Amino acid sequence: MIWWSQFQSLAWPEDLLSGLCLIMPGHDERSVKRRHTIARWLNLTSALAWRDISSKIRIRFPTLKTIEDAGLATEKEMERLEQINVACPHARWMAPLHWIQHVVMQEVKDNNPMASLVNTFMKDLQTVRASYRKLFSYDWVSVPLPYSQVAALATYAFFFFCLFGRQFVYRAKEADNQIDLYVPIFTIVQFLFFVGWLKIGQDLMRPFGTDDDDIELLYIFERNVATSFAIVHELQENVPPLDGSDDDAFWTLHARGERVEMANSSVQVHKHMPKLHSYISVNGSDQEYARTGCNKAERRKRRLGNEERIN
């Protein structure tokens, strides 16, 4: 479904910024400022890209000045974006992602993080860029207008002719003193279904509109802003220490040599062992399967079960 595919194409900041915290784990001012700036640029990219495809984001940010007033960009950054827009209007939204690459490369030169972490971060950044590009593709190449016009015309024309073709007609001799009380119940049901499907299809063509049933892209944007800054600040700076001063209950059981298991918090909760739906019961003992649990024993039982059915 196109509606669900567009929702899955939305960019989420968790994976990218979690990898960023591995590349820049420091708590010094420079590392914190770099993480903060990258998170802000990531949200700036969302604002620039989503305002071109979503009516709600366009209402929230009608001009670039409103993006600057919201704190997503500085005055100098907006000037650079305006210069980029004059040179190439289609490259403005991806400029902050390009800035992120330069900051990461500067971090590589300064602190030399693990190459595997940097490679993973760049792949995640590429995935984010591809998600925005995919949303633009859905917006540019939508369902052709004649398709929706033909579907609407065919639906309304069908019921227009039903008004005449499904009328209850009396014979001339029987119609003198009789009133037509016939109600086309099935035609009404057909009208509700067909027109309802038509309206649903029209709404799904533009899932980022202002209707109540459209995707709440403004809520997702505000949620991503709060989550991104929480990852690079609160989550990164509030890691509990492992100095032994605050041992958990499972570690205490392990230190005493006891078995670690969950305590029964409710007598109404019962444990149910997972059932093997492909298991074939055969005559004899199941000790071999219980003792080994290997695939060889399972194949042997299946073979025996097939031989019994054949015999």
Side-chain angles (χ1 to χ4, degrees), residues 1 42 52 60 125 137 157 184 200 213 293-295:
M1 183 183 293
L42 189 62
D52 291 338
R60 175 64 178 84
L125 186 63
S137 299
I200 291 175
D213 297 331
C294 61
N295 295 331

Side-chain angles (χ1 to χ4, degrees), residues 37-206:
T37 303
I38 289 177
R40 181 172 59 82
W41 284 346
L42 189 62
N43 294 312
L44 175 60
T45 304
S46 298
L48 292 174
W50 289 354
R51 68 189 296 268
D52 291 338
I53 63 173
S54 173
S55 301
K56 293 181 179 179
I57 302 296
R58 173 68 70 168
I59 295 174
R60 175 64 178 84
F61 302 111
T63 61
L64 295 181
K65 180 61 177 178
T66 57
I67 297 178
E68 180 184 347
D69 295 338
L72 296 176
T74 63
E75 183 179 356
K76 293 183 178 180
E77 290 172 354
M78 295 307 299
E79 293 177 358
R80 292 179 180 271
L81 290 176
E82 289 291 349
Q83 295 174 1
I84 295 174
N85 188 51
V86 173
C88 181
H90 303 291
R92 182 177 60 183
W93 67 269
M94 67 180 69
L97 299 180
H98 196 72
W99 299 343
I100 292 175
Q101 293 179 173
H102 283 275
V103 175
V104 173
M105 295 308 299
Q106 187 63 39
E107 178 69 19
V108 171
K109 294 179 181 179
D110 295 340
N111 299 320
N112 192 22
M114 293 179 58
S116 59
L117 298 178
V118 177
N119 186 32
T120 302
F121 178 83
M122 288 302 179
K123 288 183 179 180
D124 292 339
L125 186 63
Q126 182 180 5
T127 303
V128 170
R129 184 185 294 109
S131 66
Y132 293 117
R133 187 168 56 247
K134 191 174 183 179
L135 288 176
F136 277 114
S137 299
Y138 277 119
D139 186 68
W140 290 337
V141 187
S142 58
V143 178
L145 184 61
Y147 289 178
S148 59
Q149 291 178 341
V150 169
L153 179 62
T155 302
Y156 292 125
F158 172 76
F159 288 105
F160 175 77
F161 291 113
C162 285
L163 293 176
F164 302 96
R166 295 185 180 181
Q167 290 185 9
F168 190 82
V169 180
Y170 289 101
R171 296 180 180 179
K173 295 182 180 181
E174 300 175 355
D176 295 335
N177 299 320
Q178 297 186 24
I179 302 176
D180 186 0
L181 299 177
Y182 179 75
V183 178
I185 298 178
F186 293 102
T187 302
I188 295 175
V189 173
Q190 278 186 325
F191 179 82
L192 295 177
F193 275 100
F194 290 171
V195 176
W197 286 336
L198 178 64
K199 294 299 182 181
I200 291 175
Q202 291 175 349
D203 291 338
L204 293 181
M205 291 173 59
R206 290 286 183 265

